[in-house]
Amino acid sequence: MNEQAYIESKPKFSVIWIVPIIAILITGWMLYQHQSNKGHVIFLKMENADGIIAGKTEVKVRSVQVGIVETLRLQIEQNAVIATIRINKHYDSLLTEDAKFWTVKPRVDETGISGLNTLLSGVYIELLPGESDRSASLFTMQDQPALISPDVDGVRYSLTAANAEVLDVGTGIFFRNYKIGQVESAKFNEKTLEMDYGIFINSPYDELISKNVIFWVNSGIEVDLSTEGIRVSTGSLSKLIKGGISVDYPPAAEADELARENTQYKLHKNFAVALERRFDLFDLYLIEFEQSIKGLRPGAPVEYRGMRIGTVEQVPAQLVRDGQPLYFQQDNTSIPVLIKVEYGRIYDVDEQAKQYWQGNIEKWIKNGLRASLKSGNLLTGAVYIELDFYSSAKPESIAKHSIYPILPSVPSGFTALSEQVMALLNKLNKLPLSDTIGEAKDTLTAYKQLGLETEKLIKELNNKKVSEKVDKNLTQLQGTLVQLTASLKQFEKTLATYQQGSGVMEQLTDTLSELESLSNTLKPVTKSLNEQPSMLIFDKNSGEDPIPRKGQ
Amino acid sequence: MRLTALLGVVAIFLVGCSSNVDSHKYYKFSLSSENSPVKTSEPSQRVYIDTISILGAANQQALVQYTDENQINIANFHYWAEHPKNMLMQATHTYLVNEGIYAIPLAYAGDDLEQHFTLKIVVHEFAGHFTKGAVLKGNWYLYQHHKRNKTLHSSSAFSLSNSLVDDGFESLVAAHKNNWLLLMQGISQQINPPNHE
């Protein structure tokens, strides 16, 4: 009997495999969820990781945590630290390529104290999102906090300074002592050898910045030395510490047309220099001095009877005639000085001033107008040039044989003094001294006689009754004495208030006693604190006092 | 982090609370009138007590002891209840009044000091001593007033010491008190000489 086995083919895929497949799918989904929830990873390059701790230091925007520092590692060249930061999923949009990062830690600067809360919580990294549409994943940490947030309205301008002092980023810009902006960037231009500053003027103060404004460095302390004394004025504390830049319209000028963004201005050393540059209409004159010009410097004022009309340009004048400097000329012992007569100083309408000056200068010189050196400051020995009329001056005319017209000069200072002394000595020599002494002797004898007669007269007067006038005067004097006595009594009363036993003195004595008592009470505490400063918190652990013993 | 900070504050608080505040001791002596009632007789002499000056290390509230010939200990836990110069001033005043002397602190004397005395005591040493017990050294000066001028009537240096009866600060304070009592006896004899009649 043959039986045939029935072979049933089994299904190739067992149902049991569905379980691990579902498990794998769930695991994969969980991993994906985990990864996608972890957020975006960025890299932050910094000079050092001072205060930053991996796994702990947070990244914040406006005090809201948006990420955390995951790892810190040295760059391969070991000249920087790279921090790996994970930014939370929802904040990817903050990572624009112009976003800025800086460390928030305790800072003390002229604007005040900031970041004190990080003393306990530890430092954190502040993120300031930018405005760019492109995102990035590698950033560089800034040394200083970003000064101006992108959401602050304002206009940017640039300043160039040739010889002004170097100012820091963050220095304030002041319009009539009110802060309207700050320096945003400061860079030394190695090509022009000037400092280039980028400044930011907050809105709406950008409407003050017209084309004709002038910028100058304000040191914070102004010392004004004048005939009325010394006046020292200071600005705000931040201005005093860090200085500042002042901006204003030129004196007696109105605001011009508004300046465009990124307009470039000059930053002047001080207000005076800022104004000087505005006297563009001038003429150059040469003055030849037959005396020492020690103390005269370029920039010294040229004045007419105290009114400034120009500026000294070159001392001595570097002018060349026949291939040689002017003061190399033979038979010329004078020192040439080049000056500028700035017509804008004489009158606001400088063209009118120029016409007036040029139309009259010849006549004035004929009438005795001369230049001379005057001492401007006895301490520094600085001198300036003054123009004035000297009636005794020899008649001269304006010389035009040089490149520039030459103004005649007269000696002054010690030169003039020595000449005057010599003239005086000559006159003294010529005086008939012996005759004069004889006459003086006779006069003295006559005076002696007069004295004796006066004494005799007074004696006679004393013996007679005093006249009515004298009597009246005596009455007045008596009245004055009565008033004086009353004043003295009042003064005595005032003094009595401060005498021993008076109320004021007693109060003062009581207060002093209380102070002394307080001081005595505080002595042990001071001593203990000195020995153990931690005594305020912990127990006093000074050694036990030695126990006094019976006599041995 | 907050928990740590909170725990720290609590720990500091507990440490502060656990400090031994009872370790400080304060002392004072007074020459009370219990054993010598105020004499009722008419006061013979008026004495104004000027300041009592303490010079040197003893011019403070902590008790001072010589622990060696050249070494001083300023106590960390044992203090006079008030500055010793105030305490000595009160003790002097009490003693002189008990002796029948019309004594008034100079600060309350007024302007008329004619013919009366002013007492000034300058203390150089007011300390415990490792062998002598308690030492008291200094000078006293008695001035007499006449027409807004004062002349030195008498003065004397004093150097007193008193052994301790027992060990401890209470004994030291008692010895100080005895020293001051001796000094007061000497001064009151100078002001009111004993009547030998």
Side-chain angles (χ1 to χ4, degrees):
Chain A
M1 187 179 124
N2 288 331
E3 284 184 20
Q4 197 169 4
Y6 172 75
I7 300 169
E8 190 181 349
S9 61
K10 283 188 176 178
K12 287 182 180 173
F13 179 76
S14 172
V15 180
I16 198 72
W17 283 105
I18 291 172
V19 177
I21 287 170
I22 290 172
I24 288 168
L25 283 174
I26 290 172
T27 311
W29 179 78
M30 285 174 75
L31 280 172
Y32 170 75
Q33 279 292 319
H34 176 70
Q35 281 300 324
S36 59
N37 281 336
K38 271 174 90 176
H40 197 77
V41 173
I42 59 163
F43 301 97
L44 186 59
K45 187 178 173 184
M46 55 190 89
E47 274 190 14
N48 61 62
D50 188 19
I52 296 172
I53 302 167
K56 189 182 169 193
T57 303
E58 297 170 341
V59 179
K60 293 184 179 180
V61 177
R62 295 180 191 272
S63 299
V64 175
Q65 188 195 341
V66 297
I68 195 158
V69 176
E70 283 195 336
T71 60
L72 286 170
R73 61 181 173 79
L74 272 177
Q75 210 177 22
I76 297 169
E77 295 86 6
Q78 300 187 356
N79 56 1
V81 177
I82 302 287
T84 311
I85 295 174
R86 189 167 295 276
I87 299 292
N88 296 348
K89 185 185 163 190
H90 307 295
Y91 300 117
D92 285 355
S93 58
L94 302 174
L95 302 171
T96 55
E97 66 176 5
D98 56 347
K100 289 169 181 165
F101 291 83
W102 68 92
T103 313
V104 177
K105 53 189 173 186
R107 286 176 204 273
V108 181
D109 56 22
E110 80 288 351
T111 57
I113 301 169
S114 61
L116 274 188
N117 56 333
T118 58
L119 277 176
L120 286 175
S121 64
V123 302
Y124 64 87
I125 296 170
E126 181 78 24
L127 161 61
L128 179 71
E131 292 176 321
S132 172
D133 296 331
R134 299 171 64 183
S135 60
S137 58
L138 178 62
F139 299 89
T140 304
M141 178 88 94
Q142 292 191 338
D143 291 339
Q144 295 289 325
L147 288 171
I148 298 148
S149 175
D151 53 356
V152 176
D153 288 336
V155 181
R156 289 178 168 80
Y157 304 95
S158 60
L159 301 177
T160 54
N163 54 2
E165 61 184 286
V166 177
L167 297 166
D168 295 333
V169 170
T171 303
I173 313 248
F174 299 87
F175 185 89
R176 294 178 192 177
N177 282 331
Y178 186 75
K179 190 173 178 182
I180 59 166
Q182 58 190 324
V183 174
E184 203 177 14
S185 65
K187 207 178 100 183
F188 183 69
N189 191 328
E190 73 281 2
K191 286 175 185 159
T192 59
L193 301 180
E194 289 182 336
M195 282 297 295
D196 290 338
Y197 295 105
I199 62 167
F200 184 86
I201 304 292
N202 297 320
S203 185
Y205 308 116
D206 51 310
E207 289 173 18
L208 297 168
I209 309 299
S210 63
K211 281 184 175 173
N212 64 336
V213 292
I214 47 175
F215 288 86
W216 71 94
V217 176
N218 194 327
S219 60
I221 298 181
E222 285 175 25
V223 181
D224 182 19
L225 184 67
S226 65
T227 50
E228 291 170 3
I230 297 176
R231 186 172 61 85
V232 181
S233 57
T234 59
S236 61
L237 183 65
S238 66
K239 213 168 166 184
L240 200 67
I241 295 170
K242 207 170 185 178
I245 294 175
S246 290
V247 55
D248 211 328
Y249 308 118
E254 294 291 319
D256 205 352
E257 192 184 330
L258 273 188
R260 285 184 184 174
E261 186 158 13
N262 293 324
T263 305
Q264 197 171 47
Y265 291 93
K266 282 250 177 219
L267 175 62
H268 300 290
K269 196 176 177 181
N270 52 46
F271 185 59
V273 173
L275 287 182
E276 269 178 24
R277 298 296 171 202
R278 309 193 73 76
F279 301 115
D280 297 329
L281 188 65
F282 58 85
D283 272 329
L284 291 165
Y285 284 87
L286 208 59
I287 303 173
E288 293 181 330
F289 287 104
E290 281 290 352
Q291 68 177 100
S292 165
I293 56 164
K294 189 176 180 182
L296 188 66
R297 299 269 178 277
V302 177
E303 296 182 357
Y304 167 70
R305 291 185 172 176
M307 184 182 92
R308 184 160 182 182
I309 58 166
T311 307
V312 174
E313 188 70 10
Q314 287 179 2
V315 183
Q318 302 296 321
L319 302 175
V320 178
R321 191 196 294 163
D322 305 332
Q324 292 190 89
L326 270 183
Y327 44 89
F328 281 13
Q329 307 293 321
Q330 271 194 340
D331 305 327
N332 185 8
T333 53
S334 63
I335 308 285
V337 173
L338 191 65
I339 64 160
K340 281 195 302 192
V341 174
E342 294 155 325
Y343 297 113
R345 289 186 188 276
I346 299 172
Y347 186 57
D348 281 345
V349 187
D350 47 7
E351 281 291 350
Q352 201 177 335
K354 183 178 180 181
Q355 281 179 8
Y356 175 68
W357 174 271
Q358 290 185 342
N360 289 289
I361 186 70
E362 288 279 2
K363 188 174 76 186
W364 291 336
I365 286 172
K366 272 181 195 165
N367 290 342
L369 183 75
R370 300 286 183 271
S372 65
L373 291 175
K374 289 281 160 73
S375 174
N377 190 321
L378 287 173
L379 289 177
T380 60
V383 295
Y384 66 98
I385 293 175
E386 184 167 87
L387 299 180
D388 206 341
F389 285 94
Y390 295 86
S391 53
S392 57
K394 292 173 191 168
E396 277 194 58
S397 61
I398 195 159
K400 288 178 180 170
H401 55 79
S402 178
I403 307 164
Y404 300 111
I406 300 174
L407 290 176
S409 68
V410 288
S412 62
F414 275 111
T415 316
L417 195 66
S418 62
E419 282 181 8
Q420 284 171 6
V421 169
M422 283 304 291
L424 185 69
L425 285 176
N426 285 336
K427 277 182 188 169
L428 278 175
N429 273 337
K430 289 173 189 168
L431 282 176
L433 279 179
S434 53
D435 295 349
T436 312
I437 288 168
E439 280 174 20
K441 200 175 175 184
D442 293 346
T443 313
L444 280 175
T445 317
Y447 267 117
K448 197 175 175 183
Q449 186 66 32
L450 183 66
L452 289 172
E453 282 174 14
T454 312
E455 195 181 343
K456 196 177 166 188
L457 187 66
I458 289 169
K459 273 181 186 169
E460 283 172 9
L461 270 175
N462 280 341
N463 295 332
K464 286 179 185 175
K465 197 180 174 184
V466 286
S467 69
E468 265 184 34
K469 201 174 175 183
V470 175
D471 195 26
K472 196 178 169 187
N473 284 342
L474 279 175
T475 315
Q476 280 181 359
L477 189 64
Q478 199 175 5
T480 314
L481 279 173
V482 169
Q483 278 182 1
L484 187 65
T485 314
S487 304
L488 279 174
K489 276 183 181 168
Q490 186 62 39
F491 183 61
E492 198 177 0
K493 207 183 278 179
T494 313
L495 271 183
T497 318
Y498 297 96
Q499 277 176 356
Q500 198 166 12
S502 66
V504 176
M505 275 306 287
E506 273 180 12
Q507 278 181 10
L508 201 62
T509 314
D510 289 350
T511 312
L512 283 174
S513 304
E514 280 175 24
L515 270 177
E516 192 187 354
S517 167
L518 179 68
S519 155
N520 287 332
T521 317
L522 285 175
K523 263 183 196 171
V525 183
T526 321
K527 176 182 171 266
S528 303
L529 272 178
N530 202 23
E531 288 169 357
Q532 187 193 342
S534 61
M535 191 195 81
L536 280 179
I537 298 175
F538 301 104
D539 198 7
K540 187 174 170 181
N541 59 6
S542 310
E544 285 291 316
D545 296 329
I547 303 293
R549 301 288 176 198
K550 279 165 67 177
Q552 293 159 7
Chain B
M1 186 63 208
R2 282 184 184 175
L3 187 66
T4 317
L6 192 66
L7 285 174
V9 170
V10 170
I12 289 169
F13 179 73
L14 288 176
V15 167
C17 290
S18 69
S19 64
N20 189 2
V21 290
D22 293 334
S23 56
H24 295 86
K25 296 238 183 309
Y26 296 90
Y27 305 91
K28 181 176 178 171
F29 71 73
S30 53
L31 306 181
S32 65
S33 56
E34 284 171 5
N35 300 326
S36 51
V38 178
K39 293 175 182 172
T40 50
S41 59
E42 187 66 24
S44 57
Q45 185 62 58
R46 195 178 282 188
V47 175
Y48 300 110
I49 310 166
D50 201 346
T51 52
I52 293 179
S53 310
I54 301 175
L55 308 180
N59 186 22
Q60 58 182 308
Q61 266 184 263
L63 266 79
V64 176
Q65 292 183 73
Y66 277 91
T67 53
D68 195 347
E69 201 59 57
N70 301 308
Q71 201 170 23
I72 267 192
N73 173 265
I74 296 168
N76 286 315
F77 299 100
H78 298 270
Y79 294 96
W80 292 111
E82 59 188 317
H83 197 281
K85 69 180 181 183
N86 296 335
M87 182 181 71
L88 297 179
M89 179 81 171
Q90 284 169 24
T92 307
H93 183 236
T94 310
Y95 182 87
L96 292 179
V97 169
N98 288 342
E99 285 297 304
I101 298 168
Y102 192 68
I104 305 168
L106 186 63
Y108 307 109
D111 292 332
D112 184 20
L113 308 176
E114 189 66 26
Q115 294 299 327
H116 296 302
F117 289 117
T118 302
L119 172 67
K120 185 168 179 62
I121 304 174
V122 180
V123 177
H124 301 149
E125 297 275 14
F126 182 65
H129 195 277
F130 68 109
T131 53
K132 296 174 187 169
V135 289
L136 177 68
K137 291 180 187 174
N139 294 77
W140 58 259
Y141 306 91
L142 200 60
Y143 298 95
Q144 191 161 29
H145 291 266
H146 181 60
K147 290 182 181 174
R148 292 189 171 235
N149 291 321
K150 61 177 184 181
T151 49
L152 185 64
H153 178 269
S154 54
S155 78
S156 174
F158 54 86
S159 177
L160 304 166
S161 63
N162 208 305
S163 301
L164 305 194
V165 178
D166 217 338
D167 288 349
F169 279 90
E170 284 83 359
S171 294
L172 176 62
V173 172
H176 275 309
K177 180 180 172 179
N178 287 336
N179 276 341
W180 199 255
L181 206 57
L182 284 171
L183 174 66
M184 287 297 105
Q185 284 167 1
I187 293 174
S188 68
Q189 278 175 11
Q190 188 66 37
I191 298 167
N192 265 350
N195 196 350
H196 296 293
E197 290 175 12

